[in-house]
Amino acid sequence: MSEPITLNVGGKLYTTSLSTLTSFPDSMLGAMFSGKMPTKKDSQGHCFIDRDGKIFRYILNFLRTSHLDLPEDFQEMGLLRREADFYQIQPLIEALQEKEVELSKAEKNAMLNISLDQKTQTVHFTVREAPQIYSLSSSNMEVFSAHIFSTSCLFLKLLGSKLYYCFNGNLSSISSYLQDPNHLTLDWVASVEGLPEEEYTKQNLKRLWVVPDNKQINSFQVFVEEMLKIAVSDGFCIDSSHPHTSDFMNNKIIRLIRYK
């Protein structure tokens, strides 16, 4: 048995053996630890690799077992694929390709369920009428909530590329609000006439936009229309058995299905 080797990958330490690191001689790691490529050291003398430290655990496990083991809710396939390309581990690249084909087949049949809620809320704000002269004003504001569940994680990722929150003068993808790979809750408000822009930020009010159309969603009707466009483009169709026509027309529940 060779002496343990400690690696510093992007600030995260891993300890393994020389035989593991050289298990695929044609890879970059195989070249590094067989003396064919120079290595860098950190201040502690550990071999330093300036790559993603968290994702390296999957690289290292593959070197140890020659088998790709990923958690069921793994969401960083693209990053892992790029790291496999960087380390030039061809068997891992091929295993990832097979895994992506497997996931694609599993994603073909899917269900999408959207529950909608809307309420009217009074918002109070100050309006500057002249230097050092302010008046208190109020207005009714429409507040929307959508609870989205899909058995297709990829569809929710697709939504993240289409729907953006507008807050504090910036647009940010809704992807960061995913509760888990299959659930997403959206809360937003319609624009309020006369409400100063800074009040949206001060009162933590987010508005919802569709990109790249740069279209603001100010009503449930517009939201439903945009959701249907996105879902239909991804192969979904309306479930004829649910919801009831009255629910669908009242924008309470939407259920779509996809069979491929």
Side-chain angles (χ1 to χ4, degrees):
M1 294 290 290
S2 58
E3 289 293 321
I5 296 175
T6 299
L7 286 74
N8 178 344
V9 184
K12 190 171 181 62
L13 298 181
Y14 291 91
T15 299
T16 185
S17 67
L18 181 62
S19 59
T20 294
L21 293 171
T22 57
S23 56
F24 296 101
D26 294 333
S27 70
M28 192 189 77
L29 290 169
M32 286 175 62
F33 291 94
S34 63
K36 297 177 182 178
M37 286 180 62
T39 59
K40 295 180 180 179
K41 303 286 186 179
D42 65 10
S43 60
Q44 302 299 314
H46 305 313
C47 179
F48 176 72
I49 304 174
D50 189 16
R51 300 297 294 186
D52 190 284
K54 181 181 176 183
I55 211 75
F56 188 74
R57 62 173 292 198
Y58 304 108
I59 303 287
L60 187 56
N61 281 339
F62 188 84
L63 296 180
R64 289 167 173 155
T65 66
S66 298
H67 190 271
L68 180 61
D69 294 302
L70 299 175
E72 289 186 5
D73 60 347
F74 187 70
Q75 295 295 304
E76 297 183 294
M77 190 68 73
L79 176 58
L80 180 55
R81 186 172 60 250
R82 286 191 293 274
E83 294 302 287
D85 286 336
F86 173 79
Y87 292 112
Q88 299 172 29
I89 307 171
Q90 190 58 39
L92 176 56
I93 294 171
E94 293 171 0
L96 284 168
Q97 290 171 345
E98 292 176 3
K99 185 68 173 179
E100 288 179 323
V101 169
E102 176 187 327
L103 291 174
S104 176
K105 289 179 179 178
E107 283 273 352
K108 287 182 178 180
N109 296 332
M111 187 267 285
L112 171 63
N113 194 83
I114 307 170
S115 301
L116 306 170
D117 189 33
Q118 177 180 1
K119 62 183 179 180
T120 301
Q121 180 177 312
T122 301
V123 58
H124 303 280
F125 55 95
T126 55
V127 178
R128 184 181 181 185
E129 298 180 346
Q132 299 183 349
I133 299 177
Y134 295 86
S135 63
L136 182 63
S137 184
S138 63
S139 181
N140 287 334
M141 174 180 64
E142 297 301 318
V143 180
F144 306 105
S145 180
H147 301 280
I148 304 171
F149 168 78
S150 179
T151 56
S152 170
C153 303
L154 295 180
F155 177 74
L156 292 187
K157 286 186 177 181
L158 175 63
L159 278 187
S161 70
K162 301 287 187 181
L163 300 180
Y164 280 68
Y165 277 135
C166 176
F167 184 71
N168 198 23
N170 298 310
L171 289 176
S172 60
S173 170
I174 62 169
S175 295
S176 57
Y177 295 86
L178 275 170
Q179 296 166 282
D180 61 53
N182 299 101
H183 293 85
L184 173 66
T185 297
L186 299 178
D187 298 290
W188 77 97
V189 301
S191 291
V192 178
E193 186 175 354
L195 183 64
E197 189 66 30
E198 61 270 16
E199 287 291 332
Y200 289 96
T201 302
K202 187 184 299 184
Q203 301 197 37
N204 196 30
L205 303 174
K206 297 188 288 289
R207 287 160 290 176
L208 191 62
W209 287 74
V210 181
V211 296
D213 299 339
N214 290 327
K215 181 178 183 180
Q216 186 175 354
I217 298 178
N218 270 326
S219 69
F220 263 150
Q221 180 179 350
V222 174
F223 178 76
V224 170
E225 289 173 355
E226 294 301 324
M227 285 295 299
L228 287 176
K229 286 181 188 176
I230 298 169
V232 170
S233 71
D234 200 43
F236 283 90
C237 61
I238 297 172
D239 185 348
S240 59
S241 64
H242 187 88
H244 295 299
T245 304
S246 59
D247 284 335
F248 187 83
M249 297 306 294
N250 290 329
N251 298 334
K252 294 178 181 177
I253 302 172
I254 303 172
R255 181 175 293 174
L256 300 102
I257 53 176
R258 181 178 67 195
Y259 297 116
K260 291 185 178 180

